[in-house]
Structures are given as structure tokens and as C-alpha cells.
């Protein structure tokens, strides 16, 4: 997969300069590059006290996992020039604990970076740095000291920085930092012009890249995207591949329920029944119950609410003895788990059916991320807040899963295919790249 090369204002026009400063991406000869420290002139202090950068407290988000800082007084402008930090503005490096009062240091990704940032600011863009930082507490403290040093090296260039420090909705490719940026600008009645803004990042899905996080983030938001080589050095675009789960891989318009030869909800004149749901978390089992079974009077039985299987079995028994049908809305991953309800149905002499929710672990995990982090505000207001389920809830289901069989005692097994249900904005957000660091 490849993209059209985009040249926003500020890209280098001098081919000789690009050859002197950068490595070619086409596999050709590579020049040895002298990378200068942040301060090249003797006698210049690296003290952050000279910096105009300041961290704004508290950090953003309900758990304060999005750090926010400004250099000088950045003015919200409709056009945004957004940049990744490591491998784009500065060279990537493993954090090293500073000794004593030794100030933190860094190196520009290329010496031309300050000049280019100054130019794009003068061209009317708001400069915003968008970065992921998965650092332990001590390393994070040292990293936070490094940002004022960058600000001191850019005394006449106002910029804003947002940094995700947790694996949540702020971490790229999740769009949470962009939502926060839009909110910050809206407070000054400025709406960002995405068509004339852009994002530069090194995690672009090329053969030598560690990930495609930055490109996916730009795709999620709808921003033109360039690599540092394309933007700063005016090198040609390189082929790339976007790996990982995306909803475009799902079948188009699958039948919702199979088989169709029997009704999903039997006639109300029939005796009570027990219906056992089976499937990964986050495949829409509870929503399916509310849409189809709740209106028919089925009692909802869920272990997340009742806490133990014993209480679920008891609730199912009480429902049937009261003349009501019920749905066991748990994952019910193997025959041993389902056996308790099959035996109950035999003892009470009522039919028991199984409804299997088709869907991969990747789809279920994607839905989990969407529900916890990327619901539109209009949708989030209509339902209880969902916390992110841990990844091992999905891997443990897969490890123990046994496909339901009629021989277990079910009178019928129906299959429900995943079909997204929501408005246009909900579908747009659900269709984003949401996996964080590969999961």
C-alpha cells in the first residue's frame, strides 16, 4: 500500500541540501551524517530555567494520562503542523537516568529541524508535538526534564506538546490526543482545518519502521501524512504496509442470524426455555439480548452482575419455575461450563438452545477498545461507562474455547454474525485503527 506524496508549506526545495542531510530510502549509498548536539555554540547553558516551556497542570484526561505543555504562548490557528517527537524532531534514544544535576540532552533528528520549525510557524501554522511515551516513573521524570531543554533550543518558536503516558485512549493510533487538541482550540473559538493541516511521523509502516502507529493516527483523524524524510528532506515516498486488525477485513453484509428456517423467538404460547449465549466478550451479546429477547420478556442472567455461576444457575431455575424464559448472557466458553444449564433444563423438563456469536479475538478486542475509548459523546451518554476489559479475558477464552455441539443437549444452535449497529459518526469511529502497540 502506498500514498500520494504531500508537500505542505515548509518542505525543502533544494535537492543538494536533502542529499547532504538525509539517508536515501531507496537502498542507495548512505552518507555519514554528523548529528549536532542541541547546543552547538560554546558557553550556551542547557539549563531548563532559560526555557520558555512549561508543563500545564493537571494533565489531561480523567486519569491525567495525557501530559500537556506549551513553549512560549502558542496561538491556536486553523492550520496545524503536527509532529511526532522521537525519530522526527529529535533522535530516538533510550532514556538514561541523569546523574546529579546534569541537565538532560538530546540531538536533533537533523540539524535543519529548528530552521524548518521556525519557517512553518512563520507560514501561519500552529506547531503541535504529538508523542507516545511508555516510560516507567523514574524515566518519565527525566524525560519531562528534557522537554524544557528542547524549548530552550527553540526560544522564538511557540509550540504545544501532548504526550500519552499510558495504554489508553490517548495513545496513538487512538485519536484521544487529537480530540483534546480540538477541545483546546475550540476554547478560543478556533476550528482546525484538517485539509490544510498535516502530521509528520516516523512510524509509517515502511520496511525499516518499528510500527505504523503515526500513519494510522493520521488516517484515523483525516490528516495528510508525511514521513520526516518526505517533509524535512524532500525525499520520495517509500512503500509501506499497514498490518494488524482493521474492520475492512470483515465480510460485507453477512446474514445476521443463521439458520433462518426457525424463528429466533419462539411463539409466546410455548413453554419457557433457557437460551445460552456463547462467544468472546465485546461481540454484542448484551445488545443482542436487549434488542431481541428483552422485548419478549426473557429474564437476563449475567455473571458480571450476579458474580458466581451458582447464582446464575439459581436465577435461571427461579425464572423457569416462575414460568419465564431466560438468557444466560455469559461467555460460556466450554462444554463443562454449559453443562450446568443443560442439566438444569433436563431437570426442569424445558428446552435449551444455544446462540453462538461468531467473531475473532481481534474483532472482539477492537470492539472492546472502541467501547472503552472511542465512543462519540452522543453515544456515550446513552449507555453506562464501559471500562476496558483486560487482554487476558480474550486470550483465556480462546485457550479454553470448545465449539457448542447439539450432542451437549441443545435442541438448536443458532449463529449470530457481527454486524455493526450505529449512526454514521459511530461507524466512523468504530472503523478507525484502534490497536495499541499491536494489540
Amino acid at each position: 500500500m502506498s500514498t500520494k506524496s504531500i508537500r505542505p508549506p515548509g518542505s525543502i526545495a533544494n535537492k543538494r541540501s536533502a542529499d547532504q542531510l538525509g539517508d536515501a530510502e531507496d537502498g542507495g549509498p548512505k552518507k555519514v551524517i554528523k548529528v549536532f548536539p542541541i547546543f552547538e555554540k560554546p558557553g550556551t547553558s542547557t539549563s531548563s530555567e532559560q526555557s520558555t516551556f512549561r508543563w500545564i497542570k493537571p494533565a489531561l484526561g480523567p486519569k491525567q494520562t495525557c501530559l500537556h505543555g506549551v513553549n512560549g504562548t502558542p496561538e491556536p490557528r486553523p492550520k496545524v503542523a503536527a509532529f511526532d517527537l522521537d525519530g522526527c524532531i529529535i533522535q530516538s534514544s533510550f532514556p538514561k537516568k541523569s546523574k546529579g544535576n546534569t541537565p538532560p540532552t538530546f540531538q536533533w533528528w537533523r540539524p535543519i529541524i529548528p530552521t524548518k520549525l521556525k519557517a512553518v510557524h512563520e507560514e501561519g501554522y500552529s506547531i503541535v508535538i504529538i508523542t507516545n511515551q511508555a516510560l516507567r516513573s523514574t524515566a518519565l521524570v527525566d524525560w519531562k526534564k528534557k522537554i524544557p531543554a528542547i524549548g530552550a533550543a527553540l526560544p522564538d518558536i511557540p509550540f504545544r506538546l501532548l504526550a500519552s503516558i499510558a495504554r489508553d485512549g490517548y495513545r496513538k493510533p487512538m485519536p484521544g490526543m487529537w480530540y483534546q487538541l480540538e477541545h483546546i482550540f475550540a476554547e478560543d473559538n478556533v476550528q482546525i482545518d484538517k485539509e490544510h493541516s498535516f502530521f509528520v511521523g516516523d512510524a509509517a509502516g515502511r520496511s525499516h519502521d518499528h510500527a505504523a502507529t503515526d500513519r494510522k493516527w493520521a488516517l484515523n483523524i483525516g490528516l495528510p501524512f508525511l514521513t520526516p524524510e518526505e517533509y524535512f528532506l524532500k525525499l520520495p515516498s517509500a512503500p509501506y504496509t499497514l498490518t494488524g486488525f482493521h474492520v475492512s477485513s470483515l465480510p460485507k453484509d453477512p446474514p445476521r442470524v443463521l439458520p433462518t428456517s426457525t424463528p429466533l423467538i419462539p411463539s409466546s404460547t410455548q413453554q419457557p426455555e433457557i437460551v445460552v449465549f456463547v462467544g468472546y466478550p465485546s461481540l454484542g451479546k448484551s445488545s443482542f439480548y436487549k434488542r431481541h429477547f428483552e422485548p419478549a420478556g426473557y429474564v437476563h442472567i449475567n455473571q458480571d452482575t450476579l458474580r458466581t455461576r451458582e447464582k446464575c444457575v439459581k436465577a435461571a431455575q427461579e425464572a423457569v419455575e416462575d414460568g419465564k424464559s431466560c438468557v444466560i448472557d455469559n461467555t460460556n466458553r466450554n462444554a463443562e461450563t454449559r453443562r450446568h444449564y443443560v442439566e438444569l433444563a433436563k431437570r426442569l423438563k424445558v428446552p435449551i438452545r444455544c446462540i453462538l456469536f461468531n467473531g475473532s479475538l481481534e474483532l472482539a478486542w477492537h470492539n472492546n477498545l472502541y467501547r472503552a475509548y472511542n465512543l462519540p459523546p452522543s453515544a456515550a451518554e446513552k449507555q453506562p461507562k464501559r471500562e476496558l476489559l483486560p487482554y487476558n479475558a480474550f486470550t483465556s477464552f480462546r485457550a479454553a474455547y470448545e465449539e457448542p455441539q447439539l450432542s451437549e443437549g441443545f435442541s438448536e444452535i443458532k449463529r449470530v454474525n457481527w454486524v455493526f449497529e450505529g449512526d454514521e459518526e459511530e461507524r466512523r469511529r468504530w472503523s478507525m485503527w484502534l490497536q495499541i502497540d499491536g494489540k
Side-chain angles (χ1 to χ4, degrees):
M1 186 182 297
S2 63
T3 57
K4 182 179 179 181
S5 179
I6 303 168
R7 303 293 178 204
S11 58
I12 294 177
N14 188 300
K15 181 65 169 64
R16 182 172 177 270
S17 297
D19 289 342
Q20 289 175 337
L21 296 171
D23 297 337
E25 292 188 21
D26 58 4
K30 298 183 178 180
K31 297 179 180 294
V32 176
I33 302 169
K34 181 181 179 182
V35 181
F36 295 92
I38 51 173
F39 301 102
E40 302 173 28
K41 297 180 180 180
T44 304
S45 171
T46 60
S47 172
S48 61
E49 293 179 1
Q50 296 183 9
S51 175
T52 59
F53 182 90
R54 68 187 188 279
W55 291 106
I56 297 176
K57 297 181 180 180
L60 301 171
K63 297 183 180 180
Q64 299 183 17
T65 54
C66 180
L67 303 182
H68 180 206
V70 294
N71 194 54
T73 308
E75 174 190 358
R77 297 170 172 176
K79 295 190 300 182
V80 170
F83 299 89
D84 183 34
L85 180 63
D86 301 290
C88 182
I89 298 295
I90 64 174
Q91 292 215 0
S92 298
S93 62
F94 294 102
K96 297 180 180 179
K97 184 174 178 59
S98 57
K99 297 179 180 179
N101 294 322
T102 303
T105 61
F106 67 93
Q107 292 178 315
W108 297 119
W109 181 74
R110 295 294 187 270
I112 201 171
I113 297 297
T115 301
K116 293 301 301 167
L117 294 180
K118 183 176 179 62
V120 76
H121 168 66
E122 292 175 348
E123 289 163 0
Y125 287 80
S126 283
I127 297 176
V128 181
I129 297 175
I130 304 289
T131 179
N132 287 349
Q133 296 295 329
L135 302 174
R136 297 184 182 276
S137 56
T138 53
L140 182 61
V141 169
D142 284 344
W143 178 84
K144 290 178 69 176
K145 294 177 181 177
K146 180 165 63 175
I147 306 305
I150 296 174
L154 302 171
D156 300 321
I157 305 174
F159 66 81
R160 188 180 305 273
L161 181 143
L162 298 177
S164 166
I165 59 172
R167 293 175 57 87
D168 59 13
Y170 295 107
R171 190 167 184 79
K172 293 179 293 184
M174 286 281 187
M177 286 193 281
W178 180 259
Y179 298 152
Q180 286 286 3
L181 185 66
E182 287 184 318
H183 178 73
I184 292 167
F185 277 41
E187 290 179 337
D188 286 317
N189 297 314
V190 174
Q191 182 175 354
I192 299 174
D193 180 356
K194 290 193 287 187
E195 183 179 354
H196 295 95
S197 300
F198 60 91
F199 177 56
V200 180
D202 67 307
R206 297 164 295 179
S207 59
H208 61 278
D209 291 338
H210 66 282
T213 307
D214 291 330
R215 192 184 296 275
K216 290 177 178 178
W217 189 79
L219 286 170
N220 284 346
I221 293 161
L223 285 179
F225 176 79
L226 300 101
T227 64
E229 291 80 1
E230 290 172 307
Y231 180 72
F232 291 113
L233 309 182
K234 203 182 177 183
L235 294 177
S237 60
Y240 66 89
T241 302
L242 299 182
T243 59
F245 176 81
H246 191 264
V247 300
S248 60
S249 64
L250 297 175
K252 305 297 183 185
D253 301 319
R256 187 65 166 125
V257 182
L258 292 172
T260 59
S261 55
T262 57
L264 178 62
I265 307 296
S267 169
S268 59
T269 60
Q270 294 185 5
Q271 66 183 128
E273 68 166 347
I274 298 174
V275 176
V276 175
F277 285 0
V278 175
Y280 279 106
S282 303
L283 285 183
K285 295 188 294 297
S286 296
S287 297
F288 193 81
Y289 161 80
K290 292 178 181 178
R291 178 178 292 267
H292 299 283
F293 287 90
E294 186 175 50
Y298 281 65
V299 175
H300 186 243
I301 297 173
N302 181 267
Q303 194 164 317
D304 290 341
T305 302
L306 297 178
R307 312 309 300 170
T308 67
R309 182 191 301 132
E310 289 73 18
K311 291 183 178 180
C312 290
V313 173
K314 181 180 179 182
Q317 178 175 338
E318 292 174 348
V320 171
E321 289 178 343
D322 197 30
K324 299 177 180 178
S325 296
C326 63
V327 167
I328 313 301
D329 179 14
N330 302 327
T331 58
N332 296 311
R333 58 191 180 181
N334 54 29
E336 174 58 25
T337 303
R338 300 185 290 262
R339 176 182 61 82
H340 298 276
Y341 303 104
V342 172
E343 291 182 350
L344 175 65
K346 289 180 179 178
R347 189 166 66 251
L348 299 178
K349 298 181 180 181
V350 296
I352 181 168
R353 292 188 297 153
C354 176
I355 296 184
L356 173 60
F357 288 77
N358 288 331
S360 64
L361 180 150
E362 291 75 18
L363 170 61
W365 179 247
H366 176 88
N367 290 344
N368 183 38
L369 292 169
Y370 166 71
R371 297 190 317 185
Y373 297 139
N374 208 34
L375 279 175
S378 58
E381 292 173 357
K382 301 175 184 177
Q383 52 187 281
K385 170 65 177 174
R386 293 177 183 264
E387 297 295 333
L388 186 76
L389 297 175
Y391 193 64
N392 63 12
F394 299 82
T395 56
S396 62
F397 176 91
R398 180 176 60 186
Y401 175 65
E402 295 174 354
E403 185 172 336
Q405 306 292 330
L406 290 174
S407 58
E408 294 178 37
F410 297 114
S411 61
E412 182 185 35
I413 298 176
K414 283 188 176 293
R415 295 177 179 270
V416 174
N417 292 310
W418 170 262
V419 174
F420 182 82
E421 296 174 339
D423 61 27
E424 183 176 346
E425 176 62 11
E426 291 172 82
R427 178 176 290 277
R428 185 185 72 82
R429 291 199 179 202
W430 173 74
S431 299
M432 292 180 177
W433 294 90
L434 299 181
Q435 289 188 2
I436 304 173
D437 297 340
K439 70 176 184 180

